[in-house]
Amino acid sequence: MAGAVAQTAIYPLDLVKTRLQTHACEGGKAPNLGTLTKDILVHEGPRAFYKGLVPSLLGIIPYAGIDLAAYETLKDLSRTYILTDSEPGPLVQLGCGTISGALGATCVYPLQVIRTRMQAQRSKSAAAYKGMSDVFWRTLQNEGYRGFYKGIFPNLLKVVPAASITYMVYETMKKTLDL
């Protein structure tokens, strides 16, 4: 629930970031944050700031569940087969976080593609998606299943280190605070 609340609160900023990244520069000049935000509000309305929120929220729960379950399972396996019942050190924690983060991110990546495509479009365009299922079916028709994994490698380059470091810090703090 905390992830869903946080995602909903910051979502308009994520949409504006995506629009800034995908905006075609007219006359060699990209719009600034304020201009783009005002343009979205005036031309598309306040609901436009939440385009793609549903697939984003649908992705949070399985990602967190898969990531945490995989991490804990790998940590337990490392105790059983590698460390003989001792607590895993930083390198094992990083390895477990790497695998769990990659697994979680790969499983929910199609929802990220759908969300990003919804965020990037202007709602008044003729080719605009009509919703999450429209993005899904048009992607499947035009690009096949591979279309749902476009850009996964750069995403993994971002997510995997973040997950690994998060788990290492989590374990260190748990130990430091005697939890």
Side-chain angles (χ1 to χ4, degrees):
M1 285 305 288
V5 170
Q7 182 69 8
T8 302
I10 61 136
Y11 200 78
L13 293 173
D14 194 34
L15 180 120
V16 172
K17 175 200 73 152
T18 299
R19 292 280 182 94
L20 283 170
Q21 290 172 332
T22 59
H23 191 276
C25 298
E26 296 162 8
K29 188 177 178 190
N32 65 33
L33 179 67
T35 303
L36 182 61
T37 303
K38 182 180 173 192
D39 185 50
I40 293 168
L41 185 61
V42 169
H43 292 75
E44 299 177 58
R47 290 186 63 186
F49 289 103
Y50 290 93
K51 276 186 185 174
L53 179 63
V54 172
S56 184
L57 293 175
L58 290 175
I60 287 173
I61 295 166
Y63 172 76
I66 292 165
D67 184 27
L68 187 59
Y71 177 78
E72 289 297 332
T73 300
L74 290 168
K75 195 170 78 166
D76 290 345
L77 287 172
S78 75
R79 278 192 207 107
T80 304
Y81 295 105
I82 300 170
L83 305 168
T84 61
D85 291 330
S86 65
E87 281 299 309
L91 287 178
V92 173
Q93 292 166 3
L94 283 172
C96 293
T98 296
I99 295 168
S100 68
L103 182 63
T106 301
C107 289
V108 301
Y109 194 72
L111 288 167
Q112 280 191 299
V113 169
I114 290 169
R115 178 202 72 201
T116 303
R117 288 180 179 194
M118 290 176 76
Q119 286 180 328
Q121 73 170 356
R122 292 178 124 43
S123 53
K124 303 294 183 195
S125 89
Y129 295 113
K130 292 168 184 59
M132 193 171 103
S133 63
D134 188 35
V135 178
F136 175 82
W137 289 113
R138 283 167 62 181
T139 301
L140 187 61
Q141 268 183 332
N142 299 329
E143 303 168 58
Y145 289 106
R146 293 181 76 152
F148 292 108
Y149 288 92
K150 280 186 173 178
I152 193 163
F153 184 68
N155 187 65
L156 290 174
L157 289 176
K158 175 185 82 170
V159 169
V160 168
S164 301
I165 293 166
T166 298
Y167 280 120
M168 195 173 78
V169 170
Y170 168 74
E171 294 291 349
T172 302
M173 294 305 295
K174 210 165 80 169
K175 194 175 188 178
T176 303
L177 298 172
D178 238 358
L179 300 172

